Amino acid sequence: MKTPFARLVFLMVFGVAGLAFAQPAERTPSAPAPATVVPGPNTMQLPQVPADQGETAKPAPEAQPAPVREARPGRPRIGLVLSGGGARGAAHIGVLKVLEEMRIPVDCVAGTSMGSIVGAAYASGMTVDEMQAELKELNLAKLFNDEPPRQDVPIRRKQDDQNIFFGPEFGVKKGGVSLPKGVVSGVALEAELRRLARIPGYVDFDKLPIPFRAVATDIGTGKMVVFDRGEIATATRASMSVPGIVAPAEVGGKMLVDGGLTRNLPVDVARDTCADVVIAVNLGTPLMKQDEITSLLGVTTQMINILTEQNVQQSLASLKPEDILILPELGDFSAGDFDGMPKTVPIGEAAARRVADRLAKYSVPPQEYAKFAAARTAPLVAGAPVIDEIRVTGAPRVNRDVVVASMETKVGEPLDRDKIDYDLRRIYGRGDFERVGYRVISEPGRNVLEIEGIQKSWGPDYLRFGLGLNTDFRGDAYFNLLASYRKSWLNKWGGEWRTDLQVGRNSFASTELYQPLDPEQYFFVAPRLFINRDPISIFSASNKVAQYNRTYYGAALDLGAQFTRYGELRLGLVRGGLDYTLDTGPVVFSPEQSFFQMGGVNLRLYLDQLDSWRIPKQGWSSILNVYRSEPGLGATDPYTRLDFSAIGAGTRGRHTLQSGVRYSGPIGGSLPIYAFTQLGGFQQLSGYSTGQFYARETILGRLVYLYRLAEIPLFQGAYLGASLETGRAIGQLTFPPSVGPPNPTGWLGAGSLFFAVDTPVGPVYLAYGHSFDGANAAYFFLGRP
């Protein structure tokens, strides 16, 4: 989150959400069968798993390690307290490194937010070296990009990428429009947390190698919640659910968010757990000076710091003379700089060494510490459970068979944690859930893998918007505005009704009922209505001399098959009409006939394994469309038109090479003028005007090179690029010499230089194009060209 935009969003939503917790919270009644919690007026109790779930409340066999032995008589029990601080929290690892070097045993750990993550990893047996190795692999995208690799997204969702969508997906309900609870759902975050938690399954945190506590906040009451049992990954995810950024964790019927709002330095929690002596690591929330607060960003930052600092000061006031406070000097290191976390480890290490003289009195002899360390990091001997059944819960709208069919984890196989984490991201990528998790339930003689899917609370009806802008700086600037309304899960097989409306240069409206014919959604039927309006510009060299309006409307009925995430095949009947009229230009361009009946058969094959449609860096995609216009089906003219395009991309380091081909033209004959296609513009014979060649047959081939200038977290990055293109327009529309010189013919060559950057509203391109015969043009695009 290095960019000012990303940092501003992070701070604003965190700060605004935090206001809800600024006032003192009232005490709530105890829940039935409460977990052990720290007493106090600002604490609430977290319910255990209800008794009627039977075996589900029992830890899996591999989650029952022997705890580290109790401190020998006479030695004080040491509680380690790790504060929150986002990416700054990686400094805790440096502190742990010094504690191990000085042979200081830790008898319990209490942590908040990032402190809970580091604390859980250490308490469950991960070594400092292992934590540092994992830290090098973590970054903002890995933690907060919930989407699976695009290659594994269902093909129907992939097709959305070809539109100009931007921004969030809105929910549509009777009460109005609603938004997701967070920018990310936490699926990717929770997967990484499971990797860091050495012990899987439901477990009593007192039975970990080191007893552990994680602190979260109940967003409904503003009270602190202390986890002393459950899934470690669930507890730490709840503790780090920054309001507005990461969707709240729903546990025991409560909606939980970041614990820093109520107890960023949980000293009292550590004392209640075991501590005679507290070693507290406070990452700090320094307040800005008044003259530094000069913007909305400054006000928001100060507000967050005040909220957190208030409860930290209360915790610091409770420290006793024998307790030790460690203060890493992190300066301006951002809480959102997850890509730079390894830089903070030496800072934490240095801070611990500054109080080494005070820490030394809690050091134990080498032999004693060796036993402690061996018990903490003892290997787990139990193997992965073999799955006997897969269940899907919490999603009454979504068909279980559809979810299970998308998984690589199968009944009869041992549970592979990497595979199931990947499955969860793939399930989330379907677009039906706001959160997906799992647990293994041990029933007599069998293991059940339960997929816990929480349906989108703002669904099942959705609204999205899109925006596209482009110009070649020759007097015309074009825009397109798009709105899409989708009603999902109309029935148990996943029926979907979608309506799209776009206005601008290329206007259209369409509505389609997509109805799968089997639970796995391999086969489907899709009736649709549509109307498209496109302007067709006619050029004399680079001068526009006329413009047609082509309006195509009608109805279609498609039968199709989906190849899961690889592609889709459709075969359908089309019936409608087409208006082809001269809008501006000499009368010589007036068509002899302006209305045509349309009727025919359409075959479309779409295959897609690109990693991104915005700025592809890896993979391939192709689209084949064959339309047969048939008088027997009501058409005015008989013809067959073939449209084919393909793109491939590969990347090594900062270098990406893309290749693409495109062909459009007749099969076995000619085409009427209203079925001609256009060529020309950026990366379609750069240097020429957009759509300069209007012809019966167009051919294009291109190579594109991109050099990545900078990485942008959660986006594709910023690039410098160049392209080489060759193409031909066969059977161009002709006009008298008096109108102007004709367009070039034959094989043409062109190239471009461009700058491209991916942004929250889509990719932006600024380019210069040059053709081999001397034509030049500049281009600007918002949205993929």
Side-chain angles (χ1 to χ4, degrees):
M1 207 171 295
K2 297 179 181 178
T3 64
F5 174 82
R7 192 173 298 145
L8 174 62
V9 172
F10 178 89
L11 292 172
M12 287 183 64
V13 296
F14 187 14
V16 172
L19 285 175
F21 303 98
Q23 68 271 11
E26 297 180 1
R27 190 178 185 87
T28 58
S30 298
T36 304
V37 293
V38 179
N42 196 35
T43 303
M44 70 172 299
Q45 296 173 323
L46 182 69
Q48 294 183 13
V49 176
D52 61 4
Q53 291 191 19
E55 296 291 331
T56 64
K58 296 182 180 180
E62 67 270 23
Q64 298 278 10
V68 173
R69 66 179 178 80
E70 295 181 0
R72 60 177 166 78
R75 179 176 77 78
R77 293 172 300 177
I78 297 174
L80 180 64
V81 178
L82 304 179
S83 78
R88 295 160 64 95
H92 292 315
I93 298 175
V95 173
L96 291 173
K97 182 178 180 180
V98 174
L99 295 182
E100 289 199 342
E101 286 181 5
M102 297 186 68
R103 304 190 306 277
I104 298 173
V106 175
D107 298 288
C108 62
V109 180
T112 296
S113 195
M114 194 64 171
S116 76
I117 294 173
V118 175
Y122 190 73
S124 62
M126 184 173 281
T127 68
V128 170
D129 287 343
E130 288 172 336
M131 280 191 269
Q132 286 188 280
E134 289 286 346
L135 193 64
K136 293 177 182 178
E137 300 299 320
L138 295 180
N139 52 52
L140 185 67
K142 199 168 186 179
L143 288 170
F144 298 108
N145 182 12
D146 291 321
E147 297 293 337
R150 186 176 178 277
Q151 291 91 331
D152 293 317
V153 172
I155 195 67
R156 185 157 176 81
R157 297 283 77 85
K158 284 180 183 176
Q159 294 181 72
D160 289 345
D161 296 343
Q162 298 179 39
N163 291 307
I164 52 176
F165 290 129
F166 74 91
E169 176 186 68
F170 296 87
V172 180
K173 293 181 175 293
K174 291 181 179 179
V177 175
S178 59
L179 281 168
K181 298 171 185 173
V183 176
V184 297
S185 76
V187 173
L189 175 62
E190 196 162 341
E192 292 303 319
L193 295 179
R194 277 192 288 270
R195 287 171 53 84
L196 295 174
R198 192 163 165 265
I199 298 170
Y202 187 96
V203 63
D204 183 340
F205 291 174
D206 283 335
K207 294 183 179 180
L208 294 173
I210 299 177
F212 168 68
R213 299 292 185 268
V215 176
T217 300
D218 185 340
I219 198 171
T221 65
K223 295 182 181 295
M224 177 176 72
V225 173
V226 177
F227 281 88
D228 67 354
R229 68 199 69 189
E231 294 268 359
I232 296 176
T234 300
T236 52
R237 180 205 179 284
S239 184
M240 197 182 172
S241 295
V242 182
I245 298 295
V246 182
E250 296 186 20
V251 182
K254 302 183 183 302
M255 195 174 294
L256 306 180
V257 296
D258 197 299
L261 297 175
T262 49
R263 197 77 88 254
N264 202 48
L265 188 68
V267 172
D268 52 348
V269 177
R271 291 201 198 284
D272 186 76
T273 304
C274 83
D276 300 316
V277 172
V278 167
I279 298 176
V281 185
N282 181 28
L283 301 177
T285 50
L287 299 181
M288 300 168 64
K289 296 179 181 179
Q290 182 170 323
D291 59 1
E292 295 175 329
I293 306 172
T294 59
S295 66
L296 175 61
L297 176 60
V299 173
T300 305
T301 302
Q302 188 78 334
M303 179 176 60
I304 296 170
N305 292 343
I306 290 171
L307 291 172
T308 305
E309 190 63 18
Q310 284 178 343
N311 71 68
V312 168
Q313 289 301 322
Q314 293 175 358
S315 296
L316 292 176
S318 70
L319 292 176
K320 301 176 181 178
E322 63 271 22
D323 297 332
I324 298 174
L325 177 63
I326 299 175
L327 299 169
E329 296 179 355
L330 292 162
D332 295 331
F333 188 89
S334 170
D337 188 4
F338 288 91
D339 293 338
M341 286 191 293
K343 300 175 185 176
T344 68
V345 175
I347 298 174
E349 184 178 346
R353 295 194 190 283
R354 285 195 294 272
V355 294
D357 54 337
R358 297 193 61 203
L359 290 170
K361 64 181 177 181
Y362 299 117
S363 178
V364 299
Q367 246 184 345
E368 182 177 343
Y369 189 79
K371 291 181 180 179
F372 172 89
R376 188 182 72 82
T377 59
L380 302 175
V381 297
V386 175
I387 302 304
D388 299 295
E389 180 186 349
I390 298 176
R391 294 176 186 165
V392 180
T393 63
R397 288 195 304 264
V398 182
N399 190 322
R400 168 199 177 276
D401 294 335
V402 174
V403 174
V404 174
S406 68
M407 298 174 61
E408 292 186 2
T409 301
K410 304 298 180 185
V411 170
E413 298 178 353
L415 181 67
D416 184 312
R417 293 179 69 180
D418 289 337
K419 185 184 291 187
I420 185 61
D421 284 337
Y422 200 75
D423 282 338
L424 294 185
R425 294 182 70 180
R426 186 182 295 110
I427 294 168
Y428 176 80
R430 293 186 53 82
D432 300 316
F433 301 98
E434 63 177 271
R435 180 176 172 269
V436 184
Y438 80 91
R439 60 177 175 170
V440 178
I441 303 172
S442 299
E443 295 183 346
R446 63 205 307 265
N447 295 306
V448 177
L449 174 63
E450 184 174 273
I451 305 298
E452 302 171 296
I454 299 176
Q455 293 175 164
K456 288 180 176 178
S457 58
W458 60 96
D461 300 344
Y462 306 103
L463 184 63
R464 292 193 70 181
F465 297 98
L467 171 65
L469 300 171
N470 70 83
T471 180
D472 58 9
F473 299 102
R474 288 179 171 169
D476 290 325
Y478 307 117
F479 77 92
N480 289 301
L481 295 175
L482 172 64
S484 177
Y485 178 57
R486 178 169 64 95
K487 296 176 68 68
S488 67
W489 289 99
L490 300 175
N491 50 53
K492 67 176 183 178
W493 283 358
E496 182 176 286
W497 182 19
R498 173 169 168 168
T499 301
D500 294 338
L501 174 64
Q502 178 170 297
V503 296
R505 175 174 172 79
N506 304 105
S507 300
F508 66 82
S510 66
T511 184
E512 177 184 80
L513 177 62
Y514 172 84
Q515 178 58 60
L517 300 177
D518 59 304
E520 289 77 21
Q521 299 188 332
Y522 294 141
F523 302 99
F524 64 88
V525 60
R528 58 192 170 95
L529 301 172
F530 60 89
I531 179 170
N532 301 334
R533 182 183 179 276
D534 298 315
I536 307 296
S537 297
I538 306 301
F539 287 85
S540 166
S542 60
N543 299 315
K544 185 167 71 171
V545 296
Q547 179 171 297
Y548 293 100
N549 286 329
R550 180 172 58 185
T551 304
Y552 179 28
Y553 54 90
L557 177 63
D558 294 340
L559 294 175
Q562 286 194 4
F563 318 129
T564 58
R565 57 187 183 271
Y566 294 102
E568 177 186 271
L569 176 67
R570 289 188 178 219
L571 178 65
L573 296 173
V574 184
R575 185 74 174 88
L578 185 145
D579 286 312
Y580 189 81
T581 57
L582 181 65
D583 181 50
T584 59
V587 68
V588 68
F589 287 102
S590 297
E592 295 180 2
Q593 183 178 348
S594 62
F595 177 76
F596 304 88
Q597 293 285 349
M598 307 298 294
V601 179
N602 198 76
L603 174 70
R604 184 176 188 269
L605 175 63
Y606 169 52
L607 302 172
D608 192 343
Q609 283 289 284
L610 284 176
D611 67 331
S612 169
W613 197 262
R614 289 184 169 210
I615 302 177
K617 294 188 293 184
Q618 201 74 36
W620 56 271
S621 178
S622 65
I623 301 175
L624 171 69
N625 199 91
V626 180
Y627 175 69
R628 173 60 186 173
S629 177
E630 182 58 57
L633 294 174
T636 301
D637 300 300
Y639 64 89
T640 304
R641 174 172 147 171
L642 168 67
D643 294 280
F644 174 76
S645 63
I647 183 174
T651 295
R652 178 172 292 182
R654 291 180 175 269
H655 308 279
T656 296
L657 186 65
Q658 300 172 354
S659 62
V661 295
R662 197 188 85 185
Y663 173 82
S664 182
I667 298 178
S670 186
L671 293 178
I673 188 173
Y674 57 79
F676 281 19
T677 58
Q678 292 179 283
L679 182 64
F682 178 50
Q683 293 189 5
Q684 300 183 61
L685 294 182
S686 300
Y688 297 108
S689 297
T690 302
Q692 180 169 332
F693 303 93
Y694 184 58
R696 180 183 72 250
E697 186 175 0
T698 57
I699 307 168
L700 176 70
R702 71 181 175 214
L703 286 174
V704 181
Y705 168 76
L706 300 101
Y707 176 78
R708 189 177 73 245
L709 293 171
E711 294 186 11
I712 301 176
L714 304 182
F715 295 97
Q716 297 297 310
Y719 296 84
L720 279 180
S723 68
L724 285 175
E725 307 131 37
T726 183
R728 187 179 184 187
I730 303 171
Q732 295 186 56
L733 182 66
T734 60
F735 43 82
S738 59
V739 174
N743 281 320
T745 59
W747 285 98
L748 304 173
S752 72
L753 297 174
F754 62 90
F755 170 75
V757 59
D758 196 16
T759 76
V761 293
V764 172
Y765 288 81
L766 185 61
Y768 166 76
H770 176 76
S771 71
F772 291 0
D773 62 3
N776 299 286
Y779 307 95
F780 171 82
F781 283 89
L782 171 60
R784 190 169 182 271

